[in-house]
Amino acid sequence: MSIKAKELISLMNRWAPPSLAEKWDNPGLQVGSPETIVKRVMIALDVTKENVEYAIKHQVDMIISHHPLIFKPLYGINSEEPKGKLITSLLTNNIVSFAAHTNLDSAEEGVNDALAHVLKLTNCIGFVPVRQEVIYELSLHGYAQNESQLKELFSSFQMLLKHDSYQDMIHYSIKVQEGDINKVKEILIKGEEYIHSFEWHKLAHNGHLYTMGRIGELPHIMDGKDALQYIKNCLKIPVLKYSGNSNKRISKVAILGGSGADFAQMAKNIGADMYITGDVKYHQGQDAAASGLLIVDGGHFYTEHVIVPYLAQRLRREAIAKNWDIEWVEDPVAKDIFEYVI
C-alpha cells in the first residue's frame, strides 16, 4: 500500500511529540510537500550534500533526519550557497525533508534508548527531566443506541463505562494525555451526531515523565580503562577522549547523546561512576574530573548516529504491520564531520 509523507510525519510525531522539543529547536517538516507519495525513505543523522546526491541518484522520496536542515529562520534562499543548494536540490527532485531532533532525544525509544541499547546498559531509568505529561479526563455522555459507534470512534483510548445517565443515555470516562487533546477534539467533531454532551477535567495526578539521557549499568563491573575500550568498540569511535580517573571501577553509567556536558554534575550527584556524552569543553572536562567523575567525550556524531539503524528498524516493523509499501535506506555515506590523525 502506497502512502504519503504526511502519514510518516504523523507517525513520527506520535513517537516523538513536537511538544518535547526545546524552544530553540526546529523539528518537523523542513522542505517539500506532505502530500508527496513515498516509496523509498532514507534515515539519516544529518541532511548533507553527500546523502542528498545519493537520494537523487537512488530515487529516495523522503529523508527523515535527526538534525534539522533548517535551524534558524531563512531570510532568503541563494541556490549558489551550500544550504541553498541543498534546499534547491530537494525541491527540484521532489524529496521531502523531515527532522525529529530534541523531541527524539527525550522520546521513549529515541536517541538515548538507542545509545543505551548499543552499550548494552541494563536497569535504565531517565536522567534529565524534560516534561511531565498532564492527564485529562473526558466525561462523555452519548446516546445508548450509538454505543458501538462511540466505541469505534475512541478505539485507541481506554473507555471506562461509568453508568447510564438516563434511560437512553450512556456515560463514559476517557483518560487523555495532553499530547492527544487535539486528536480527541477531532474525534468529538467527527462523532458529534452520537454525542449528547461532554466535559473536560484536569486530573490532579500527572502522567509520564519524559527525560533526556538515561542512567544504567554496564553488563558487568569494569576497570576504567576496560570500560573506555568497551565504549570505544561499541560506538566504533576511532579516538576516544576522556577526563578523570581511569583506574576507578565502573558500574553505574549516565549517558546523553549529542551535547550534554552541562549535566555532568547531575550525573555525579545521582551516583554515576562515568558519564558519556559529546562536545565536552576543556573546563567542563576539568570540573568533572575534579568532582571524581570519569567523563567520556564520545563525540556528537558517534553518540547520536546510533539512532539511524535503531529508528530504521522500528520503522520497518511499523511498515510491515501497516502493510506499507516502503523501502528503507540507512544513510550509507554518513561520517563524522571531524577526522583524526592517529
Side-chain angles (χ1 to χ4, degrees):
M1 180 175 69
S2 62
I3 66 162
K4 295 180 178 180
K6 64 182 181 183
E7 295 175 82
L8 278 175
I9 290 172
S10 177
L11 176 63
M12 289 297 302
N13 285 341
R14 287 201 301 274
W15 287 351
S19 58
L20 294 179
E22 299 293 322
K23 291 181 180 179
W24 50 262
D25 198 9
N26 184 42
L29 180 66
Q30 304 289 297
V31 174
S33 168
E35 297 296 327
T36 300
I37 298 294
V38 175
K39 294 184 178 180
R40 185 171 293 155
V41 178
M42 178 190 290
I43 313 301
L45 182 63
D46 303 283
V47 178
T48 65
K49 174 179 177 291
E50 291 75 17
N51 65 17
V52 169
E53 288 176 350
Y54 180 94
I56 295 169
K57 183 177 179 180
H58 294 84
Q59 298 179 314
V60 169
D61 304 300
M62 183 174 183
I63 299 175
I64 297 178
S65 66
H66 179 47
H67 294 142
L69 174 62
I70 303 171
F71 265 117
K72 299 178 181 179
L74 295 175
Y75 299 101
I77 299 174
N78 185 339
S79 59
E80 297 304 315
E81 294 179 349
K83 184 156 290 185
K85 284 183 180 179
L86 283 181
I87 293 171
T88 301
S89 293
L90 291 167
L91 289 172
T92 301
N93 291 278
N94 199 31
I95 299 173
V96 178
S97 172
F98 172 86
H101 190 210
T102 51
N103 48 326
L104 191 58
D105 288 330
S106 300
E108 298 297 319
E109 296 190 69
V111 172
N112 290 291
D113 284 320
L115 183 56
H117 176 77
V118 170
L119 295 174
K120 296 181 174 61
L121 300 186
T122 59
N123 302 319
C124 288
I125 59 173
F127 178 23
V128 182
V130 173
R131 184 172 67 84
Q132 189 139 29
E133 191 84 70
V134 177
I135 303 295
Y136 293 84
E137 179 190 43
L138 174 64
S139 184
L140 180 71
H141 298 267
Y143 299 106
Q145 69 266 27
N146 299 127
E147 181 178 0
S148 60
Q149 289 92 335
L150 289 169
K151 286 183 177 180
E152 183 177 352
L153 282 168
F154 292 92
S155 59
S156 57
F157 296 90
Q158 185 175 0
M159 300 177 70
L160 175 64
L161 177 62
K162 298 193 77 172
H163 56 78
D164 293 338
S165 303
Y166 306 101
Q167 187 174 4
D168 61 342
M169 301 292 293
I170 197 163
H171 181 197
Y172 287 106
S173 171
I174 304 170
K175 298 292 194 304
V176 182
Q177 293 185 345
E178 187 177 19
D180 289 326
I181 290 290
N182 288 335
K183 180 180 178 181
V184 173
K185 286 181 178 179
E186 290 175 1
I187 293 173
L188 289 171
I189 293 171
K190 183 179 178 181
E192 60 182 346
E193 64 181 296
Y194 310 125
I195 298 168
H196 177 267
S197 61
F198 61 87
E199 296 175 344
W200 287 101
H201 305 281
K202 183 179 178 181
L203 300 182
H205 66 273
N206 293 317
H208 182 74
L209 176 63
Y210 289 95
T211 59
M212 287 191 298
R214 298 292 180 262
I215 310 155
E217 298 172 0
L218 290 172
H220 56 84
I221 297 174
M222 301 182 190
D223 291 330
K225 287 186 173 62
D226 290 337
L228 290 167
Q229 189 62 50
Y230 174 79
I231 293 160
K232 183 175 183 289
N233 293 342
C234 286
L235 299 182
K236 301 176 183 178
I237 305 173
V239 176
L240 187 64
K241 183 171 72 173
Y242 71 92
S243 178
N245 180 12
S246 62
N247 293 315
K248 64 186 292 187
R249 303 275 279 172
I250 305 296
S251 174
K252 193 173 184 179
V253 176
I255 59 171
L256 203 164
S259 300
D262 288 341
F263 300 104
Q265 188 58 51
M266 183 182 291
K268 173 64 180 175
N269 291 345
I270 59 177
D273 306 307
M274 173 186 280
Y275 179 38
I276 304 166
T277 187
D279 299 342
V280 179
K281 297 179 181 178
Y282 180 85
H283 291 294
Q284 291 172 323
Q286 195 174 51
D287 292 342
S291 75
L293 182 69
L294 182 58
I295 188 168
V296 179
D297 188 341
H300 203 117
F301 177 85
Y302 292 101
T303 58
E304 289 195 327
H305 188 260
V306 291
I307 190 58
V308 173
Y310 191 84
L311 180 58
Q313 185 180 36
R314 190 177 180 191
L315 284 164
R316 286 188 186 103
R317 288 198 303 265
E318 188 72 12
I320 291 171
K322 293 181 178 295
N323 196 30
W324 286 348
D325 183 19
I326 298 180
E327 180 182 344
W328 305 96
V329 179
E330 297 172 29
D331 184 357
V333 295
K335 65 176 184 177
D336 190 359
I337 190 63
F338 297 104
E339 297 188 36
Y340 307 87
V341 176
I342 301 175

